[in-house]
Amino acid sequence: MRTAVVTGASSGIGKATAQLLSSEGWRLLLVARGAERLEALADELGDASGVAVDLTDADAPQRVGAAVEERLGGELHLLVNNAGMARRAAFGDRERGGYRNVREIMDLNFDAVLRLTEELLPVLRASAPSSIVNVSSVAGRVARPRSGAYSASKFALAGWSDAATEGFPQDDIRGNPATRWMVSTPDKVARAILRAGPGGKPEVVVPRGYRIVPVLRALAPGLVRRVAGGAAAG
């Protein structure tokens, strides 16, 4: 039986991914901070269990690793690093922005991913064919004003991935008919994650139209900056 760990599994993309994998017959270990929602989802899916842990805690990777041994029989075919957070603020805003904001976002969106991946890498290798899917963002290729901390974390994750959440609901963009197209749905992202699983594609972008953004950033950086700045101001 194929086994998977899904982080940030209690809502949004993580929950949709867990539901899709379960429907495909995977045995799951669900990871998130909220114990009640994890238990409810595990009960709904059947062949799944949860580990309630803050992935920024010092012992979080070891706790997840122990659960993989105990509940998945020491086999792991897919690690979905989905847990993350976002917070819009100007760097000079000492209330919400500044270094502390950057550090908190980097701790979860980047450092926690590396720490968990390092902990689970031996069992992933022993369970081959296996895959690691890091859920990044186009914000990890092109930055926007007031999202520098989030973009920095996703730039780092994308760069590391190249070399090697209910996290970001975007309610403001979804609520505007003119910009609703810019955000995909959790179900579509879940299917993309499955396509990037063992034997799948190295990178999947959703919505598909976003594949042009990194190209434009390289060919016409001034234009991309103007468009991104205008979108942020609007």
Side-chain angles (χ1 to χ4, degrees):
M1 174 176 287
R2 297 173 296 177
T3 61
V5 168
V6 181
T7 70
S10 61
S11 62
I13 292 170
K15 183 176 181 179
T17 300
Q19 291 170 328
L20 178 59
L21 290 171
S22 178
S23 71
E24 296 283 335
W26 291 67
R27 177 179 295 164
L28 303 176
L29 180 65
L30 312 174
V31 181
R33 288 182 296 178
E36 291 186 5
R37 289 198 291 180
L38 272 184
E39 291 175 6
L41 180 58
D43 289 343
E44 170 195 326
L45 299 180
D47 199 0
S49 61
V51 178
V53 62
D54 184 335
L55 287 172
T56 64
D57 287 347
D59 65 343
Q62 290 74 30
R63 290 175 61 186
V64 176
V68 169
E69 290 294 328
E70 177 186 350
R71 305 181 199 180
L72 300 183
E75 290 190 0
L76 183 58
H77 303 102
L78 176 62
L79 168 60
V80 181
N81 287 312
N82 166 70
M85 65 178 290
R87 189 182 296 135
R88 290 178 60 81
F91 185 74
D93 179 356
R94 298 297 292 272
E95 290 284 330
R96 292 174 51 82
Y99 174 74
R100 180 179 177 181
N101 179 55
V102 176
R103 185 67 268 163
E104 288 176 355
I105 292 175
M106 287 291 294
D107 280 348
L108 179 58
N109 292 10
F110 184 62
D111 291 2
V113 172
L114 270 62
R115 293 170 58 233
L116 182 60
T117 300
E118 182 179 54
E119 178 70 23
L120 299 181
L121 195 56
V123 69
L124 282 160
R125 285 173 170 163
S127 305
S130 56
S131 291
I132 301 166
V133 177
N134 296 323
V135 179
S136 186
S137 169
V138 173
R141 302 295 188 185
V142 179
R144 294 176 59 207
R146 299 182 61 81
S147 297
Y150 179 76
S151 286
S153 70
K154 293 301 184 179
F155 265 86
L157 183 60
W160 181 68
S161 300
D162 284 346
T165 152
E166 218 169 19
F168 194 18
Q170 293 280 28
D171 291 335
D172 54 337
I173 296 178
R174 288 183 183 277
N176 186 339
T179 58
R180 191 174 297 141
W181 64 270
M182 297 171 63
V183 183
S184 190
T185 66
D187 289 341
K188 289 180 180 179
V189 178
R191 289 193 290 272
I193 288 171
L194 194 59
R195 292 201 302 275
K201 296 183 177 181
E203 182 176 80
V204 182
V205 178
V206 287
R208 291 183 179 181
Y210 273 132
R211 289 181 292 186
I212 192 62
V213 176
V215 178
L216 288 176
R217 176 65 179 84
L219 297 178
L223 173 63
V224 172
R225 287 196 192 96
R226 287 194 298 273
V227 172

